[in-house]
Amino acid sequence: VALLARALGAAAVPHFVNGLSDEHSVVRARSATSLMALGDDAKPHLAKLAALLADMGQLVRRSAARALVTLAPADSADAALARKLLESR
């Protein structure tokens, strides 16, 4: 998924952002992973990724957390919460 996201580039960002609210948890998780792969182009959507930290699906929460750790400023509250989620099992 990450390779495809990078190949599509910034033009794919809106599609992956829409995927964050899909009814299927796998789509939400893969969308978060894809946004992480897009790097700076995904940064305007950090709040939507942060909202997924409270998702019912563990895969979604962990995917969003990995994306936030990668994309958000290291000293941000979202990154801190994401790191805490990833450290817990």
Side-chain angles (χ1 to χ4, degrees):
V1 174
L3 288 174
L4 176 62
R6 284 192 292 272
L8 294 172
V13 169
H15 300 288
F16 293 127
V17 170
N18 285 340
L20 296 176
S21 59
D22 194 90
E23 66 182 284
H24 301 285
S25 62
V26 172
V27 174
R28 294 192 305 276
R30 296 298 178 238
S31 294
T33 300
S34 297
L35 288 169
M36 177 180 70
L38 290 170
D40 289 342
D41 292 323
K43 287 186 177 183
H45 308 286
L46 292 177
K48 291 181 181 183
L49 286 166
L52 291 181
L53 295 177
D55 194 274
M56 294 292 290
Q58 180 181 10
L59 178 62
V60 176
R61 290 191 306 272
R62 295 186 69 76
S63 296
R66 282 190 295 277
L68 285 166
V69 166
T70 301
L71 298 172
D75 61 347
S76 71
D78 289 336
L81 183 58
R83 281 191 300 276
K84 186 174 182 178
L85 188 147
L86 291 172
E87 291 168 0
S88 68
R89 286 275 168 175

